[in-house]
Amino acid sequence: MMNHMLAFERVSKVYGEKTNQTAALKDVSLEVKAGEFVAIIGPSGSGKSTLLSMAGLLLSPTNGNVYLDNVEITKLSEKERAQLRLQKIGFVFQASNLIPYLSVLDQLLLIGKLASNSKGMKQRADRLLKELGLSHRTHHFPAQLSGGEKQRVAIARAWMNDPEIILADEPTASLDSKRGREVVEMLASEVKRKGKAGIMVTHDERVLDLCDHVYTIKDGVLHLDDKVLFSGQMQE
Ligand code: ADP
Ligand code: MG
């Protein structure tokens, strides 16, 4: 378990009680190293969100272990996990999940407050908004933004705590193909440039060439499937 930012070791997840159980993940092993950006594709109900929630420390495995920077997260208390989540995990969701009554700037500053790390946060927020081409939207509210802008705010927000792990759940789902590709390029470049570990769940095969590995998941079983990657690249 050396130098892996994020690792799943024979992880299973069973939801529900005895008479009504769903095995959402079955014996899943996965390693995402620093600087690696991996995609997970699979049909609805195959376990993608369950896997991402576990990587984001929002959910614990029924069996097996999840390691974050070689720390076995199942051994931590709920409080320690919450703290680690704020410090090390950046989430980007499909629908950007912005808070309607906060301005663009306040969406970002809230993360600094939650992580009780408010020093220099205003400067950091301004810099991120500039990098993501959003300076002119600083004082706008989500309802005043386009889909692509909202998703960029969600990315800026996810970068606020400089997370080591970047998790994206269908980040392109609400965008046209050009904007979708831009968003994934931003995720990929952040992972590469800063040596982070990234996992993206997607249905969008057109962005798979931006990923280092592609996994498919079906009925809770995960497979490395890099041939999808090469066929995707050949189409270009
Ligand atoms: P995906 O994101 O690929 O659509 P999910 O991880 O959301 O898949 O779900 C995997 C399986 O687990 C599905 O059969 C789903 O119905 C079930 N499931 C997900 N969350 C819960 C839950 N909180 N309680 C019970 N079953 C769940
Ligand atoms: Mg899902």
Side-chain angles (χ1 to χ4, degrees), residues 97-138:
N97 283 34
L98 299 180
I99 300 163
Y101 54 83
L102 291 181
S103 73
V104 165
L105 179 61
D106 286 338
Q107 310 271 348
L108 271 61
L109 294 179
L110 178 65
I111 296 297
K113 287 197 187 109
L114 289 175
S116 58
N117 179 18
S118 42
K119 253 209 248 138
M121 283 295 148
K122 173 72 168 65
Q123 289 90 321
R124 181 166 175 76
D126 285 338
R127 187 167 54 72
L128 284 168
L129 291 175
K130 189 162 175 231
E131 274 176 28
L132 291 170
L134 289 163
S135 292
H136 61 306
R137 295 288 182 249
T138 302

Side-chain angles (χ1 to χ4, degrees), residues 19-34:
T19 53
N20 186 22
Q21 290 192 331
T22 306
L25 289 183
K26 298 171 188 162
D27 215 13
V28 166
S29 294
L30 168 69
E31 289 171 355
V32 187
K33 300 184 179 81

Side-chain angles (χ1 to χ4, degrees), residues 21-191:
Q21 290 192 331
T22 306
L25 289 183
K26 298 171 188 162
D27 215 13
V28 166
S29 294
L30 168 69
E31 289 171 355
V32 187
K33 300 184 179 81
E36 262 182 2
F37 186 46
V38 311
I40 297 177
I41 55 178
S44 174
S46 56
K48 302 183 298 294
S49 295
T50 300
L51 190 154
L52 223 50
S53 302
M54 241 172 237
L57 315 189
L58 292 164
L59 198 64
S60 296
T62 308
N63 279 300
N65 298 311
V66 176
Y67 298 86
L68 184 56
D69 289 339
N70 305 310
V71 174
E72 190 179 336
I73 62 114
T74 31
K75 293 213 171 119
L76 303 176
S77 70
E78 190 50 51
K79 202 176 160 194
E80 288 169 320
R81 266 201 295 275
Q83 196 57 35
L84 218 53
R85 193 184 309 133
L86 284 169
Q87 287 167 354
K88 299 203 171 183
I89 312 282
F91 276 107
V92 178
F93 297 101
Q94 169 177 347
S96 70
N97 283 34
L98 299 180
I99 300 163
Y101 54 83
L102 291 181
S103 73
V104 165
L105 179 61
D106 286 338
Q107 310 271 348
L108 271 61
L109 294 179
L110 178 65
I111 296 297
K113 287 197 187 109
L114 289 175
S116 58
N117 179 18
S118 42
K119 253 209 248 138
M121 283 295 148
K122 173 72 168 65
Q123 289 90 321
R124 181 166 175 76
D126 285 338
R127 187 167 54 72
L128 284 168
L129 291 175
K130 189 162 175 231
E131 274 176 28
L132 291 170
L134 289 163
S135 292
H136 61 306
R137 295 288 182 249
T138 302
H139 300 293
H140 286 60
F141 290 85
Q144 301 170 302
L145 306 174
S146 71
E149 286 172 337
K150 275 191 257 199
Q151 205 57 321
R152 267 152 44 216
V153 174
I155 290 174
R157 183 180 58 180
W159 290 182
M160 274 301 281
N161 55 359
D162 202 17
E164 291 172 30
I165 312 288
I166 290 169
L167 303 173
D169 200 347
E170 299 198 30
T172 68
S174 58
L175 304 176
D176 65 39
S177 64
K178 180 165 175 283
R179 301 277 174 238
R181 192 168 178 86
E182 281 170 11
V183 160
V184 178
E185 279 169 352
M186 284 172 196
L187 300 175
S189 97
E190 180 79 359
V191 167

